[in-house]
Amino acid sequence: MIEDAFPRKLHPYWPKLQEKTRSWLLEKRLMPAEKVDKYADGLCYTDLMAGYYLGAPDDVLAAICDYSAWFFVWDDRHDRDVIHARAANWRRLAVQLHAATEAPELHRNHQDPVVAGFAESVGRLYGSLSRTWNARFARHFHVVIDAYDQEFGNRMTGTVPTVDEYIALRRNTFAHWIWLDLLEPTAQYELPAWVRKNEAYHRAALACQDFAAWYNDLCSLPKELAGDELHNLGISLIKHDGLSLGEAIAEVRRRVEGTIEDFLAAEAEVEQLAVATENIGPHGEELAKAIRSCVGNMRNWFSSVYWFHHESGRYAVDSWDDRATPPYITDDETTEQTDQVGECA
């Protein structure tokens, strides 16, 4: 379905992005040099974003790619803090990220590379559009941090969320609204609320992100079962709906295919919205162009996510020495942070 209906595309800046993000990971000390040299390109983080945000100015796409790479590093830190029961470290990091979301300029030199890297990449994104857009992005990212905190608590207590609870939580830990927000600096146009809240636009947006989250669940299930993870649509189906592993995989696949059908139906309706918008005042054509850019990149999300999961070393579990410990991370259970909870720089 994906290979036939969603042709793969890549932003022409992609070859340079690999080098830039690799250098950025080193500069911000987010991965050790030997890990960057050995694994960074094979993880395909830049491929994912370069296949999604087509049409973005080069500097905007570079900031998005660095932020995306940071997000994966943060996700790995969260996982290791759970594995080694570093509750105090995680709570401290969550507080610092909340603070950096509001004032990234105060955290660029933070002693924790995860906080400093976040502040630097988000600070660049905040320069793309208006303060209103910045505030919306910040509001959405606060929710992501809180969702990660909820997931931390679930894993520490061995709590598997129900299917409905998981779907709601996943939409936040996957950062649905963040990736959708970034469609606008890509288009260089801040969409009015009436467009973002339009029923068809919202359905198309949710379908592309649910596809990404649930396809990720499908591909990462072996990795997450090996690592005693509790947050996966398949795991919730097994735990709460009594499905076997095979039945759960089939059900996740069915839901993934459903998001494709939902998107195609909504996409056609969004095009009708764009046509109608062309006749709204002197800026109608410009707004219609932005709407088409945003929904066009929602479409690109399907092929980009699909190929990412089949090419990234992040999901090559069978090739790892330890199926529960990814080789691209540094797993040090003695890691401790000494900075204070309220420290800003």
Side-chain angles (χ1 to χ4, degrees):
M1 293 175 72
I2 297 299
E3 293 180 22
D4 291 343
F6 298 86
R8 188 182 196 183
K9 302 175 184 177
L10 281 172
H11 195 289
Y13 195 53
W14 168 72
K16 293 184 179 179
L17 286 171
Q18 279 196 318
E19 179 181 349
K20 284 181 173 292
T21 294
R22 193 188 319 123
S23 298
W24 186 79
L25 288 167
L26 282 171
E27 177 190 344
K28 298 303 175 184
R29 299 179 294 118
L30 289 167
M31 291 176 67
E34 67 275 12
K35 301 282 187 181
V36 171
D37 290 342
K38 190 172 183 179
Y39 297 110
D41 288 354
L43 290 170
C44 300
Y45 295 159
T46 55
D47 304 44
L48 178 62
M49 296 295 110
Y52 185 16
Y53 294 104
L54 270 69
D58 291 353
D59 61 333
V60 170
L61 185 60
I64 292 173
C65 282
D66 290 349
Y67 171 75
S68 172
W70 171 85
F71 204 108
F72 283 108
V73 171
W74 177 51
D75 184 76
D76 291 334
R77 164 78 80 86
H78 175 266
D79 179 66
R80 293 299 105 181
D81 280 350
V82 171
I83 294 296
H84 300 304
R86 295 191 293 245
N89 280 12
W90 165 251
R91 305 296 181 200
R92 183 182 303 117
L93 177 60
V95 168
Q96 291 165 343
L97 290 176
H98 276 302
T101 300
E102 291 299 321
E105 68 280 0
L106 300 180
H107 294 77
R108 289 174 183 266
N109 297 315
H110 198 283
Q111 68 184 57
D112 185 337
V114 172
V115 178
F118 170 78
E120 199 278 337
S121 62
V122 168
R124 286 149 63 198
L125 293 172
Y126 279 1
S128 303
L129 292 173
S130 72
R131 291 184 179 180
T132 302
W133 184 90
N134 294 356
R136 185 186 351 137
F137 183 97
R139 185 169 65 253
H140 288 160
F141 195 72
H142 285 307
V143 173
V144 175
I145 299 169
D146 289 342
Y148 264 76
D149 191 51
Q150 182 181 343
E151 187 174 294
F152 188 96
N154 286 347
R155 291 181 67 185
M156 292 295 287
T157 59
T159 302
V160 177
T162 67
V163 173
D164 288 345
E165 289 170 344
Y166 173 74
I167 289 172
L169 180 62
R170 182 62 163 150
R171 286 172 175 167
N172 291 327
T173 57
F174 195 83
H176 278 27
W177 314 118
I178 290 293
W179 308 119
L180 294 167
D181 286 338
L182 291 169
L183 292 169
E184 294 170 57
T186 294
Q188 293 289 278
Y189 196 103
E190 190 169 337
L191 295 179
W194 67 265
V195 171
R196 289 185 284 107
K197 295 179 181 180
N198 174 270
E199 193 267 342
Y201 185 92
H202 182 79
R203 278 194 294 117
L206 193 60
C208 81
Q209 292 301 302
D210 279 346
F211 167 83
W214 300 346
Y215 195 71
N216 176 270
D217 281 0
L218 197 61
C219 295
S220 62
L221 186 56
K223 174 170 77 85
E224 293 178 346
L225 286 171
D228 294 325
E229 171 62 275
L230 306 177
H231 295 84
N232 185 293
L233 182 54
I235 293 173
S236 288
L237 288 164
I238 292 168
K239 173 71 174 179
H240 294 287
D241 287 15
L243 274 59
S244 67
L245 176 58
E247 290 169 339
I249 290 171
E251 175 60 15
V252 175
R253 182 184 179 93
R254 185 190 69 79
R255 292 180 186 233
V256 167
E257 291 174 349
T259 65
I260 299 171
E261 296 166 0
D262 291 345
F263 175 79
L264 292 174
E267 180 187 39
E269 294 180 35
V270 176
E271 174 55 26
Q272 295 175 7
L273 173 68
V275 170
T277 301
E278 289 175 330
N279 300 315
I280 299 177
H283 302 295
E285 290 188 7
E286 187 179 4
L287 175 55
K289 181 180 177 181
I291 292 171
R292 290 187 174 111
S293 168
C294 291
V295 79
N297 281 329
M298 291 178 198
R299 161 174 274 275
N300 290 334
W301 202 219
F302 289 87
S303 61
S304 192
V305 165
Y306 173 83
W307 288 109
F308 170 68
H309 284 88
H310 289 279
E311 294 176 348
S312 173
R314 192 173 178 88
Y315 306 99
V317 180
D318 291 338
S319 67
W320 301 352
D321 293 335
D322 177 359
R323 290 168 63 89
T325 306
Y328 48 83
I329 66 169
T330 300
D331 188 35
D332 181 3
E333 63 180 301
T334 64
T335 298
E336 290 291 341
Q337 300 296 326
T338 58
D339 49 306
Q340 299 299 308
V341 170
E343 186 173 354
C344 291

